[in-house]
Amino acid sequence: MQKTILERISRVTDDVVSLVLRGDEGPLAPWEPGAHIDLELPNWLTRQYSLCGDPGDLSAYRIAVRHDPLSRGGSEYVHLFLRPGRTLSVSLPRNHFPLVPAPEYLFVAGGIGITPIMPMLRSAVAAGAAATLAYAGRPFAAKLASEYGDRVRLGRPDLAALAREFPAAEVYCCGPASMVDAAEAVFPRVHTERFEPTRRTFGPDTPFEVVCARSGGTIQVPADESLLDALDHAGRPVPSACREGVCGSCEVLVVAGEPEHRDDIGAAPGRMYPCVSRSRSPRLVLDL
């Protein structure tokens, strides 16, 4: 974890604030557009937020937090109780939404989904690529329009029309689930990031066993318990945050066996997220 000082908290819209977290012990860890951090709050909650500042400035991180009316205590604490000067721990940046090199980009964002897109747009323009942003939302809208001019299109986007207009563009989309679902249905290829898990149906949960390759021992995972909880109960806890398969904080390495990936991060060889994922094979061997 990295220690930061909350230097500034600014109102962006009625329901969104911007936080500047300055490194308390020198420069912070480097990051690339699309990355997010875990923020440990004083009320013992950990929440994930996309980095939306300048990757070239490692003296501070910038994030934005929307006040969710159905808050489980994270955004509510940030909006109502967090004050400048507070020391806060943040994780090293993780990136499951990386910007790939391309000559042309189309960015589609809705609401607070603009946060990972802003440094992407900055990077694309700096690289000399053709870049267009279609944004349905209020946070940072005026700033983006002022800074990037006609590259920015505000208002509800017509995704089908955009797909016809930008057939060769590398497409990135972040926003409400309905927007992300629509983008995945319209664009032949699109990079997406979700703040909420996809509601999908999987087969019945079945028991399996896990072998911990480094520490030794075998753990039985019953049908009615997650792998993450089974590891915790067996005294081999894995750090976790969202417990919904979207943040990646509980990543573990798979040595043998076939995981059943139920997360929204995307299957990567040799990795799985035990908060939601299970096993297709009777046994998994993990690097734990």
Side-chain angles (χ1 to χ4, degrees):
M1 300 298 287
Q2 307 176 89
K3 295 295 183 183
T4 68
I5 301 292
L6 178 57
E7 180 179 88
R8 185 168 66 254
I9 182 165
S10 309
R11 181 69 55 182
V12 178
T13 63
D14 291 344
D15 62 347
V16 174
V17 292
S18 170
L19 280 65
V20 175
L21 302 161
R22 187 158 300 278
D24 189 31
E25 300 169 342
L28 295 165
W31 60 281
E32 296 181 348
H36 69 272
I37 56 171
D38 296 340
L39 173 64
E40 290 188 352
L41 295 170
N43 62 351
W44 303 102
L45 294 177
T46 299
R47 293 293 182 263
Q48 299 75 45
Y49 298 106
S50 296
L51 292 167
C52 60
D54 179 1
D57 179 10
L58 298 181
S59 66
Y61 290 157
R62 183 180 182 185
I63 60 174
V65 181
R66 183 177 72 88
H67 190 182
D68 185 347
L70 301 178
S71 173
R72 295 175 295 166
S75 68
E76 181 179 55
Y77 186 91
V78 170
H79 277 253
L80 299 183
F81 304 109
L82 205 54
R83 296 293 181 268
R86 188 75 190 236
T87 299
L88 299 169
S89 293
V90 302
S91 70
L92 296 175
R94 293 192 303 277
N95 199 344
H96 302 295
F97 192 42
L99 184 68
V100 300
E104 182 181 21
Y105 296 95
L106 172 64
F107 301 108
V108 180
I112 199 64
I114 192 63
T115 51
I117 297 296
M118 287 197 296
M120 289 185 173
L121 179 60
R122 176 197 293 266
S123 177
V125 171
T132 300
L133 168 65
Y135 178 39
R138 293 186 301 133
F140 306 106
K143 177 181 183 297
L144 289 164
S146 173
E147 187 172 350
Y148 296 104
D150 59 7
R151 293 178 184 268
V152 176
R153 305 180 184 184
L154 301 178
R156 186 178 182 86
D158 182 334
L159 297 182
L162 289 172
R164 293 191 295 271
E165 184 179 355
F166 299 96
E170 203 73 34
V171 183
Y172 283 79
C173 178
C174 184
S178 57
M179 171 180 280
V180 176
D181 289 343
E184 290 178 339
V186 168
F187 294 102
R189 63 184 188 281
V190 56
H191 308 267
T192 61
E193 182 169 71
R194 296 176 179 269
F195 296 138
E196 299 175 353
T198 305
R199 304 303 176 188
R200 292 172 292 176
T201 301
F202 296 94
D205 294 343
T206 56
F208 59 97
E209 68 178 21
V210 168
V211 176
C212 298
R214 281 190 288 113
S215 57
T218 299
I219 300 168
Q220 302 299 323
V221 183
D224 60 352
E225 187 173 47
S226 72
L227 172 53
L228 184 69
D229 286 340
L231 290 170
D232 186 37
H233 295 157
R236 291 172 175 81
V238 173
S240 64
C242 75
R243 303 182 73 91
E244 294 183 316
V246 296
C247 78
S249 62
C250 64
E251 180 182 278
V252 295
L253 300 181
V254 180
V255 177
E258 183 183 2
E260 181 184 29
H261 297 286
R262 298 184 177 187
D263 58 86
D264 282 291
I265 300 168
R271 302 172 189 273
M272 69 179 298
Y273 304 94
C275 62
V276 293
S277 297
R278 299 186 67 82
S279 179
R280 296 185 186 279
S281 54
R283 170 183 287 193
L284 282 179
V285 181
L286 301 181
D287 183 25
L288 291 173

